[in-house]
Structure formats: structure tokens, C-alpha cells
Amino acid sequence: MRKLVMALVVLFALPVVASVTPGTEVSNLLFMSGGVVLFHTSAARADVPACAAGQAMRWAIDTNTASGKSQLAGLLTAHTTGKKVQVIGTDTCSIWADTESVSYLRLY
């Protein structure tokens, strides 16, 4: 019962998001100044926010934060091992002006 309660807490604590990719490969990792990492996915996504309309397959991570460092580790693992990822976005371009920010990643 305790595990179920914890799973529900985690599930409902996740932010509301709009953009999600299916299981996809990552490529084109760009390590920008200021700790921003941009990357592309091989699959298109639905519900791209207006701010990222011109970069529908690109995502941004801020590696200056603890969550960004964790996301980068997962991203590099997926890229190195060829694992697919699911990317869930924030529906904003708060890290890079024309690229949707990553909320979280799931490796397959």
C-alpha cells in the first residue's frame, strides 16, 4: 500500500506538460555557452509550443540545475548506448528562446 501511495504522489507531482515525443533516438547534441545543452530527436512530436514552432525536433536542458545535470546524464547514456528516450516538455522556451525546455526524460 505504501508503494502505491508513493507512486501516486510522484505521478501527481509531475508538472502538466503539452509536448511529448514517442520513443525516439537523440542526436545533434549541442553544448552551448552558459550550461545549456540542445539536442534533437528523430521523431516528431505533437503540440509544439508556438515559441518552438521552427524547431519542432529540438529540446533544451539547463545543466546549471541539479535536475538538468540528471537529465544530461540520462541523455548522454541514451545517446552512447543507442537507447530510445521519451521527452516530455514544459510547453515553454524558458531555457533557449526558440527551443522547448525539457521537463523530464524516460529511457527505454
Side-chain angles (χ1 to χ4, degrees):
M1 180 69 163
R2 185 175 187 185
K3 288 182 182 178
L4 175 61
V5 170
M6 290 304 295
L8 290 173
V9 168
V10 169
L11 177 65
F12 289 108
L14 295 175
V16 176
V17 293
S19 294
V20 178
T21 63
T24 183
E25 296 172 356
V26 296
S27 64
N28 254 1
L29 281 72
L30 305 167
F31 299 86
M32 310 303 285
S33 63
V36 173
V37 174
L38 305 176
F39 67 95
H40 288 82
T41 54
S42 60
R45 61 184 176 196
D47 301 322
V48 178
C51 61
Q55 296 291 345
M57 296 172 88
R58 189 167 77 179
W59 301 87
I61 294 173
D62 180 1
T63 64
N64 294 307
T65 66
S67 61
K69 289 175 180 147
S70 175
Q71 291 169 353
L72 178 60
L75 183 70
L76 291 172
T77 298
H79 184 66
T80 302
T81 62
K83 290 202 173 270
K84 292 189 176 189
V85 299
Q86 181 181 36
V87 186
I88 296 83
T90 62
D91 199 33
T92 66
C93 298
S94 59
I95 297 170
W96 201 259
D98 66 348
T99 305
E100 185 171 3
S101 303
V102 171
S103 178
Y104 62 98
L105 302 165
R106 176 180 296 153
L107 273 65
Y108 290 94

